[in-house]
Amino acid sequence: MTKLSVNINKIATLRNSRGGNNPDLVKIALDCERFGAQGIPVHPRPDERHIRYQDVFDLKAVIATEFNIEGNPTEKKFIELVFANKPAQVTLVPDAEGQLTSNHGWDTIKHQDYLKDIIGEFQSAGIRVSIFVDPMDKMIEAAATTGADRIELYTEAYASQYHSGKEAAIKPYVEAGNLATKLGLGLNAGHDLDLQNLSYFAQQIPGLLEVSIGHALISDALYFGLENTIQMYLRQLA
Protein backbone atom coordinates (compact mmCIF):
# COMPACT_ATOMS: atom_id res chain seq x y z
CA MET A 1 0.00 0.00 0.00
CA THR A 2 1.19 3.51 -0.83
CA LYS A 3 2.14 5.53 2.24
CA LEU A 4 0.65 8.96 2.94
CA SER A 5 3.13 11.58 4.08
CA VAL A 6 1.57 14.84 5.31
CA ASN A 7 3.62 17.94 4.59
CA ILE A 8 3.10 20.54 7.31
CA ASN A 9 4.67 23.59 5.63
CA LYS A 10 1.30 25.35 5.47
CA ILE A 11 0.80 24.94 9.21
CA ALA A 12 4.10 26.73 9.73
CA THR A 13 3.00 29.48 7.32
CA LEU A 14 -0.11 30.07 9.42
CA ARG A 15 1.90 30.13 12.64
CA ASN A 16 4.45 32.54 11.23
CA SER A 17 1.78 34.96 10.02
CA ARG A 18 1.07 36.04 13.60
CA GLY A 19 4.26 35.13 15.43
CA GLY A 20 4.16 33.02 18.55
CA ASN A 21 3.45 29.32 18.43
CA ASN A 22 -0.20 29.02 17.42
CA PRO A 23 -0.79 26.61 15.81
CA ASP A 24 1.83 24.47 17.51
CA LEU A 25 3.74 22.78 14.69
CA VAL A 26 5.07 19.92 16.80
CA LYS A 27 1.62 19.13 18.21
CA ILE A 28 0.12 19.19 14.72
CA ALA A 29 2.80 16.78 13.47
CA LEU A 30 2.14 14.38 16.34
CA ASP A 31 -1.60 14.64 15.74
CA CYS A 32 -1.09 13.89 12.04
CA GLU A 33 0.73 10.71 13.02
CA ARG A 34 -1.99 9.85 15.52
CA PHE A 35 -4.64 10.37 12.84
CA GLY A 36 -2.89 7.98 10.45
CA ALA A 37 -0.16 9.85 8.56
CA GLN A 38 2.71 7.52 7.79
CA GLY A 39 5.34 10.21 7.35
CA ILE A 40 6.01 13.90 7.99
CA PRO A 41 7.89 15.84 5.29
CA VAL A 42 9.08 19.42 5.74
CA HIS A 43 10.72 21.75 3.24
CA PRO A 44 12.77 24.43 5.01
CA ARG A 45 13.76 27.29 2.72
CA PRO A 46 16.57 29.80 3.30
CA ASP A 47 14.12 32.62 4.13
CA GLU A 48 12.35 30.36 6.68
CA ARG A 49 9.00 31.69 5.45
CA HIS A 50 7.29 28.56 6.72
CA ILE A 51 9.44 25.79 8.24
CA ARG A 52 12.19 27.26 10.39
CA TYR A 53 15.48 25.47 10.81
CA GLN A 54 14.78 25.07 14.53
CA ASP A 55 11.50 23.35 13.64
CA VAL A 56 13.48 20.55 12.02
CA PHE A 57 15.36 19.86 15.25
CA ASP A 58 12.14 20.03 17.29
CA LEU A 59 10.32 17.64 14.95
CA LYS A 60 13.20 15.19 14.68
CA ALA A 61 13.09 14.78 18.46
CA VAL A 62 9.49 13.53 18.46
CA ILE A 63 8.51 12.11 15.06
CA ALA A 64 7.85 8.37 15.29
CA THR A 65 6.96 7.73 11.65
CA GLU A 66 9.16 8.57 8.66
CA PHE A 67 10.73 12.03 8.82
CA ASN A 68 11.60 13.51 5.44
CA ILE A 69 13.54 16.74 4.90
CA GLU A 70 13.13 18.31 1.45
CA GLY A 71 15.27 21.05 -0.03
CA ASN A 72 18.04 22.24 -2.28
CA PRO A 73 21.40 20.67 -1.40
CA THR A 74 23.34 23.46 -3.10
CA GLU A 75 22.66 25.44 0.09
CA LYS A 76 25.35 24.68 2.66
CA LYS A 77 22.97 25.38 5.54
CA PHE A 78 20.56 22.76 4.20
CA ILE A 79 23.28 20.12 4.03
CA GLU A 80 24.34 20.90 7.58
CA LEU A 81 20.72 20.68 8.74
CA VAL A 82 20.25 17.25 7.18
CA PHE A 83 23.45 15.84 8.67
CA ALA A 84 22.58 17.26 12.09
CA ASN A 85 19.16 15.57 12.09
CA LYS A 86 19.65 12.43 9.97
CA PRO A 87 16.06 11.96 8.76
CA ALA A 88 14.84 8.69 7.32
CA GLN A 89 14.81 10.35 3.90
CA VAL A 90 16.13 13.48 2.26
CA THR A 91 14.41 14.64 -0.92
CA LEU A 92 16.59 16.80 -3.13
CA VAL A 93 14.67 19.57 -4.91
CA PRO A 94 16.24 22.08 -7.35
CA ASP A 95 14.49 25.18 -6.00
CA ALA A 96 15.94 28.62 -6.56
CA GLU A 97 16.18 30.95 -3.56
CA GLY A 98 12.87 32.78 -3.08
CA GLN A 99 10.94 30.38 -5.31
CA LEU A 100 7.25 30.30 -4.37
CA THR A 101 6.90 26.53 -4.68
CA SER A 102 8.69 23.64 -6.39
CA ASN A 103 7.92 23.77 -10.12
CA HIS A 104 10.37 21.48 -11.90
CA GLY A 105 12.54 18.45 -11.39
CA TRP A 106 16.30 18.08 -11.63
CA ASP A 107 18.18 18.05 -14.89
CA THR A 108 19.84 14.82 -13.84
CA ILE A 109 22.09 14.84 -16.90
CA LYS A 110 23.50 18.34 -16.43
CA HIS A 111 23.88 17.90 -12.66
CA GLN A 112 24.93 14.23 -12.75
CA ASP A 113 28.34 14.63 -11.12
CA TYR A 114 27.10 16.96 -8.40
CA LEU A 115 24.16 14.69 -7.57
CA LYS A 116 26.40 11.63 -7.38
CA ASP A 117 28.65 13.34 -4.87
CA ILE A 118 25.95 14.73 -2.58
CA ILE A 119 23.82 11.57 -2.74
CA GLY A 120 26.84 9.52 -1.72
CA GLU A 121 27.50 11.83 1.23
CA PHE A 122 23.95 11.53 2.54
CA GLN A 123 23.87 7.77 2.04
CA SER A 124 27.14 7.41 3.93
CA ALA A 125 25.28 8.91 6.92
CA GLY A 126 22.55 6.27 6.60
CA ILE A 127 19.99 8.59 4.96
CA ARG A 128 17.79 7.38 2.11
CA VAL A 129 17.94 9.80 -0.83
CA SER A 130 15.11 10.68 -3.22
CA ILE A 131 15.45 13.20 -6.04
CA PHE A 132 12.66 15.30 -7.53
CA VAL A 133 12.23 14.64 -11.26
CA ASP A 134 9.84 15.25 -14.13
CA PRO A 135 8.32 12.17 -15.82
CA MET A 136 10.87 12.10 -18.65
CA ASP A 137 12.71 8.93 -19.61
CA LYS A 138 16.12 10.56 -20.02
CA MET A 139 15.90 12.26 -16.64
CA ILE A 140 14.85 9.05 -14.90
CA GLU A 141 17.60 7.07 -16.60
CA ALA A 142 20.16 9.64 -15.48
CA ALA A 143 18.64 9.68 -11.99
CA ALA A 144 19.36 5.97 -11.73
CA THR A 145 23.06 6.51 -12.46
CA THR A 146 23.38 9.12 -9.69
CA GLY A 147 22.96 6.35 -7.13
CA ALA A 148 19.70 7.75 -5.73
CA ASP A 149 17.51 5.31 -3.81
CA ARG A 150 14.26 6.81 -5.07
CA ILE A 151 12.80 9.45 -7.32
CA GLU A 152 9.84 11.67 -6.51
CA LEU A 153 7.74 12.35 -9.59
CA TYR A 154 6.65 15.99 -9.91
CA THR A 155 2.89 15.62 -10.46
CA GLU A 156 1.72 19.17 -11.22
CA ALA A 157 1.26 18.39 -14.93
CA TYR A 158 -0.90 15.37 -14.10
CA ALA A 159 -3.01 17.37 -11.65
CA SER A 160 -3.55 20.28 -14.04
CA GLN A 161 -4.61 18.00 -16.90
CA TYR A 162 -6.61 15.48 -14.89
CA HIS A 163 -10.08 16.98 -15.37
CA SER A 164 -9.66 17.49 -19.12
CA GLY A 165 -8.49 13.92 -19.74
CA LYS A 166 -7.14 11.71 -17.00
CA GLU A 167 -6.00 8.93 -19.36
CA ALA A 168 -3.73 11.28 -21.27
CA ALA A 169 -2.62 12.99 -18.07
CA ILE A 170 -1.52 9.76 -16.41
CA LYS A 171 0.24 8.20 -19.42
CA PRO A 172 3.72 9.73 -18.96
CA TYR A 173 3.61 8.89 -15.25
CA VAL A 174 2.77 5.24 -15.90
CA GLU A 175 5.68 5.07 -18.32
CA ALA A 176 7.92 6.81 -15.80
CA GLY A 177 6.86 4.41 -13.04
CA ASN A 178 7.57 1.38 -15.19
CA LEU A 179 10.99 2.70 -16.14
CA ALA A 180 11.89 3.59 -12.56
CA THR A 181 10.98 0.09 -11.41
CA LYS A 182 13.00 -1.44 -14.24
CA LEU A 183 16.01 0.63 -13.21
CA GLY A 184 15.69 -0.33 -9.54
CA LEU A 185 14.52 3.06 -8.29
CA GLY A 186 11.93 3.40 -5.55
CA LEU A 187 9.02 5.63 -6.52
CA ASN A 188 7.50 8.57 -4.65
CA ALA A 189 5.24 11.32 -5.98
CA GLY A 190 3.97 14.73 -5.00
CA HIS A 191 2.64 18.18 -5.93
CA ASP A 192 -1.02 19.12 -6.35
CA LEU A 193 -2.34 15.63 -5.62
CA ASP A 194 -5.76 15.92 -3.94
CA LEU A 195 -8.99 14.09 -3.13
CA GLN A 196 -10.14 14.28 -6.74
CA ASN A 197 -7.06 12.96 -8.54
CA LEU A 198 -5.17 10.88 -5.96
CA SER A 199 -7.02 7.58 -6.17
CA TYR A 200 -6.68 7.28 -9.94
CA PHE A 201 -3.00 8.18 -9.77
CA ALA A 202 -2.25 5.59 -7.11
CA GLN A 203 -4.21 2.89 -8.93
CA GLN A 204 -2.42 3.47 -12.22
CA ILE A 205 1.19 3.93 -11.11
CA PRO A 206 3.08 0.69 -10.54
CA GLY A 207 5.19 0.39 -7.42
CA LEU A 208 4.19 3.73 -5.90
CA LEU A 209 5.71 3.76 -2.40
CA GLU A 210 4.78 7.17 -1.02
CA VAL A 211 2.88 10.36 -1.80
CA SER A 212 3.69 13.66 -0.14
CA ILE A 213 0.70 15.98 0.19
CA GLY A 214 0.54 19.31 1.96
CA HIS A 215 -1.33 22.25 0.46
CA ALA A 216 -4.44 20.38 -0.70
CA LEU A 217 -4.73 18.29 2.45
CA ILE A 218 -4.37 21.24 4.81
CA SER A 219 -6.88 23.23 2.72
CA ASP A 220 -9.37 20.35 2.90
CA ALA A 221 -8.85 20.16 6.65
CA LEU A 222 -10.36 23.66 6.98
CA TYR A 223 -13.67 22.13 5.93
CA PHE A 224 -13.45 18.52 7.08
CA GLY A 225 -11.15 18.69 10.11
CA LEU A 226 -7.61 17.35 10.20
CA GLU A 227 -8.34 13.85 11.49
CA ASN A 228 -11.20 13.27 9.06
CA THR A 229 -9.21 14.68 6.14
CA ILE A 230 -6.22 12.40 6.74
CA GLN A 231 -8.58 9.43 6.86
CA MET A 232 -10.20 10.59 3.61
CA TYR A 233 -6.81 10.71 1.91
CA LEU A 234 -5.82 7.32 3.27
CA ARG A 235 -9.00 5.86 1.77
CA GLN A 236 -7.94 7.16 -1.63
CA LEU A 237 -4.80 5.04 -1.31
CA ALA A 238 -6.49 1.88 -0.05
Side-chain angles (χ1 to χ4, degrees):
M1 178 179 168
T2 305
K3 291 183 177 180
L4 173 66
S5 288
V6 177
N7 186 305
I8 55 175
N9 286 2
K10 285 298 184 293
I11 300 297
T13 301
L14 179 60
R15 175 200 62 188
N16 294 353
S17 69
R18 289 291 295 269
N21 194 41
N22 185 24
D24 184 328
L25 192 73
V26 170
K27 183 179 186 304
I28 292 288
L30 293 174
D31 285 339
C32 286
E33 289 185 316
R34 186 163 57 88
F35 298 153
Q38 295 145 320
I40 303 293
V42 294
H43 190 150
R45 287 181 163 88
D47 60 9
E48 297 188 285
R49 65 179 182 268
H50 40 66
I51 298 295
R52 300 168 182 155
Y53 286 85
Q54 183 58 47
D55 291 331
V56 177
F57 289 91
D58 295 342
L59 290 164
K60 170 62 178 177
V62 298
I63 294 298
T65 59
E66 180 178 291
F67 189 39
N68 178 13
I69 304 176
E70 304 173 353
N72 192 332
T74 61
E75 299 157 5
K76 182 181 178 182
K77 191 174 180 181
F78 176 81
I79 295 175
E80 292 171 347
L81 185 72
V82 173
F83 280 126
N85 287 278
K86 295 186 178 178
Q89 177 174 276
V90 59
T91 299
L92 309 184
V93 184
D95 282 350
E97 187 170 349
Q99 189 169 315
L100 180 62
T101 187
S102 305
N103 62 11
H104 64 282
W106 284 95
D107 184 332
T108 52
I109 299 171
K110 179 180 179 180
H111 299 288
Q112 177 78 195
D113 291 340
Y114 171 73
L115 288 169
K116 280 182 177 178
D117 289 344
I118 193 64
I119 287 168
E121 288 183 33
F122 286 138
Q123 289 173 334
S124 69
I127 303 167
R128 186 173 72 232
V129 182
S130 177
I131 54 178
F132 202 58
V133 298
D134 297 299
M136 301 169 61
D137 286 359
K138 63 181 181 179
M139 295 304 166
I140 295 171
E141 288 167 351
T145 58
T146 65
D149 301 290
R150 297 186 184 185
I151 57 170
E152 179 174 331
L153 291 174
Y154 171 50
T155 51
E156 189 274 335
Y158 162 75
S160 65
Q161 298 168 23
Y162 175 81
H163 292 289
S164 60
K166 62 183 182 181
E167 292 84 4
I170 199 69
K171 184 178 178 182
Y173 291 89
V174 173
E175 293 172 353
N178 284 326
L179 179 59
T181 299
K182 179 181 177 182
L183 294 171
L185 289 165
L187 191 61
N188 299 340
H191 205 89
D192 288 349
L193 296 174
D194 59 26
L195 288 173
Q196 284 70 51
N197 60 43
L198 177 58
S199 179
Y200 183 73
F201 186 87
Q203 289 170 5
Q204 298 297 315
I205 302 301
L208 183 62
L209 298 172
E210 173 187 318
V211 291
S212 178
I213 305 179
H215 182 84
L217 189 150
I218 299 303
S219 297
D220 287 332
L222 295 175
Y223 288 92
F224 305 124
L226 185 59
E227 181 175 9
N228 189 36
T229 298
I230 289 174
Q231 291 300 310
M232 291 168 74
Y233 274 84
L234 286 169
R235 287 195 290 272
Q236 302 305 306
L237 296 171

